[in-house]
Structure formats: structure tokens, C-alpha cells
Amino acid sequence: MKKFIWVVAVIAICIFGVYFWLTQSENGNHKPMANAGEDQIVNFEDTVQLDGSGSRDKDGNTLAYMWSFISTPEGSTAMLSDGGIVNPTFDYDKLGSYTIQLAVINGRKEISEPDSVTIVVRQTIKCSIALEEKCWSKGDPALVSVVVENVSEGKVNLKTIPSFTLNEMQFYCPTDIVRGEYALPPNAHSIISLERGALINSRIDISKLKWGMGPAATWPNNSFYNIVSPGQYKLRLDIEVVDGGMPKWIHSNEVEVTIIE
């Protein structure tokens, strides 16, 4: 008799368990899963956008998002643009590592386990160019004003001389960029440290380049290279910097120019 009761009890428990699992699955009882996106490394002044679009609810319920900071650099007052949307941005104010947590809630008010993402904001520089004239004839002098500024909170090291890019053609500046007693000759690989707020401000004559390619130091004076045809182009300044031992190229604004015969 006892054996019979035990068998019935086991069968009843199994039936109840299967019923519970089926009914709860049909009613959408799966907990949602949060996905805070991939870790990011950004340069100071870059826009940071978070991405929680990888979060899921197996039952297809609509998700609500809850972003919050777990850790920030000391003294930071960083804020999220909107902690309740899938892809908020946030305003950082310090170099260093920011860890942000995401939890999601489904329509049954069930909350996920949190997931986190780390954003590393590193030092960098800001560079810009300006032209006196935006319409050039081949062979005419072209004076370009170059401004390089350290906008980080620490030292930033320039590794090589800046190079200009006309669309995707690169050529080096034919003159030195000077800051105090420091100078970067063509193709230099010496490192110049820029303190916070330091400026390199120079005018560079790129007339001898004549839109050629190759290191400027190897070009003879008064040689002309007619590689680029007349037309509309964009001129950009690229600067290689050393950040934590890793070289990285920083790009300036783009200026539209016209080249005529």
C-alpha cells in the first residue's frame, strides 16, 4: 500500500511539474536577458553611445531599460542622457574607465540579471586646419594654418610629423612644425610631449608638394608632381600620437578645396 501511495505521489509530482512548466512557458515566465554591448575605448571628446539592443526576452515581451553607473574615475560627475532607453549617450568629464550596468524588465515586471560594459576614455589631442584660399592652381603656393592642442588632462606625445591627406593620398608637411625649442623635421620619429592645454600653431607652405606622394624629405626643390587632376577635393590633417605606448592616428576637420589648371 505504501509503495502504491509513493508511486502515485511521484506520478502526481511529475504531472504537476510538467503542467507548471508548460503553463508558465505559455504565460511568458522566462526572465529577460540584458546585454550591455561591447566594451569601448574612445578618445577624449568622442561621443560615447551605449547599445542595449542585444537584450532579449524569450517570450517576446516588450523590454524596459535601466542603465546606471557602477564605477567612474575619481571626481567624475558623468551623467547618462537617458537611463531608460536602449542606446543612451553619456557625458564624461575625466580620463579613465567607466563601468555601466544594464538591467531590463519585461511586461510581466520580471527583471533580468544585470550586464555591464566598460568604456575607457583616453587622452588625445585636437587638431584643425584652415586655408587662406580654397581655390588653387597647380603650382601655386598653398598656405595652411595648423593648430594642434592637447585637450586631455595629461601629457600627449606626438610621434611623427603631421601628414596631409587629399582624399586618400598622403604626403608629409615639407616644413617643420615648431613649439618653442622643439621641432619635428620631415619623417621625424622623435617624441614631443604636449602638456595639458599646450598648442602647436604653425603655417605650412605645401606649394612644393604639387599633390605628390612620398616623403617630402626625399623630394628635390622645385620639383612638381601632377598626380592629382583638377577638381574638388577634401584636405585633412592626420597626426600620429603615442597613447599608453600604442600609436594612433588622430584626424582633423576636412576642408573642401578646388584645384584648377
Side-chain angles (χ1 to χ4, degrees), residues 76-122:
S76 172
T77 58
M79 296 181 61
L80 293 165
S81 61
D82 186 342
I85 61 176
V86 63
N87 56 350
T89 59
F90 78 89
D91 296 324
Y92 52 84
D93 51 2
K94 300 287 183 181
L95 297 173
S97 179
Y98 296 77
T99 302
I100 303 158
Q101 177 178 278
L102 171 65
V104 293
I105 306 174
N106 64 17
R108 295 171 57 85
K109 306 302 182 185
E110 294 166 322
I111 188 168
S112 70
E113 295 296 326
D115 187 36
S116 63
V117 62
T118 298
I119 311 295
V120 176
V121 180
R122 62 184 184 180

Side-chain angles (χ1 to χ4, degrees), residues 31-35 52 54-58 63 104 112-113 115:
K31 289 180 66 174
M33 295 179 292
N35 185 332
S55 302
R56 293 288 181 266
D57 184 272
K58 288 185 178 180
L63 294 176
V104 293
S112 70
E113 295 296 326
D115 187 36

Side-chain angles (χ1 to χ4, degrees), residues 1 13 16 27 33-34 53 58 79 106 109 125 139 141 164 187 202 205-206 218-219 232 248:
M1 182 67 179
I13 291 172
F16 178 79
N27 292 331
M33 295 179 292
S53 62
K58 288 185 178 180
M79 296 181 61
N106 64 17
K109 306 302 182 185
I125 61 176
F164 287 99
N187 299 320
S202 180
D205 185 350
I206 61 173
T218 66
W219 295 2
Q232 299 287 330
K248 180 177 178 62

Side-chain angles (χ1 to χ4, degrees), residues 28-203:
N29 196 42
H30 293 102
K31 289 180 66 174
M33 295 179 292
N35 185 332
E38 298 293 329
D39 293 342
Q40 301 180 46
I41 298 176
V42 301
N43 294 317
F44 201 85
E45 290 198 341
D46 285 352
T47 298
V48 176
Q49 186 163 48
L50 305 175
D51 183 10
S53 62
S55 302
R56 293 288 181 266
D57 184 272
K58 288 185 178 180
D59 306 300
N61 292 311
T62 301
L63 294 176
Y65 300 85
M66 297 189 304
W67 295 91
S68 59
F69 286 101
I70 297 177
S71 64
T72 61
E74 184 178 356
S76 172
T77 58
M79 296 181 61
L80 293 165
S81 61
D82 186 342
I85 61 176
V86 63
N87 56 350
T89 59
F90 78 89
D91 296 324
Y92 52 84
D93 51 2
K94 300 287 183 181
L95 297 173
S97 179
Y98 296 77
T99 302
I100 303 158
Q101 177 178 278
L102 171 65
V104 293
I105 306 174
N106 64 17
R108 295 171 57 85
K109 306 302 182 185
E110 294 166 322
I111 188 168
S112 70
E113 295 296 326
D115 187 36
S116 63
V117 62
T118 298
I119 311 295
V120 176
V121 180
R122 62 184 184 180
Q123 64 186 12
T124 186
I125 61 176
K126 178 171 61 177
C127 55
S128 61
I129 60 174
L131 306 176
E132 293 183 355
E133 300 290 338
K134 294 186 179 181
C135 182
W136 304 332
S137 298
K138 286 189 173 183
D140 287 349
L143 287 175
V144 179
S145 295
V146 177
V147 177
V148 181
E149 179 181 7
N150 180 3
V151 295
S152 77
E153 294 192 349
K155 289 184 178 179
V156 173
N157 299 322
L158 299 184
K159 183 183 178 186
T160 63
I161 190 169
S163 64
F164 287 99
T165 299
L166 186 67
N167 287 4
E168 295 304 320
M169 290 187 182
Q170 285 194 346
F171 43 87
Y172 292 95
C173 303
T175 59
D176 296 347
I177 290 184
V178 179
R179 182 179 77 89
E181 70 275 19
Y182 300 108
L184 281 175
N187 299 320
H189 288 278
S190 58
I191 294 177
I192 292 180
S193 294
L194 294 180
E195 303 289 344
R196 179 181 180 182
L199 288 173
I200 291 178
N201 194 337
S202 180
R203 282 165 42 126

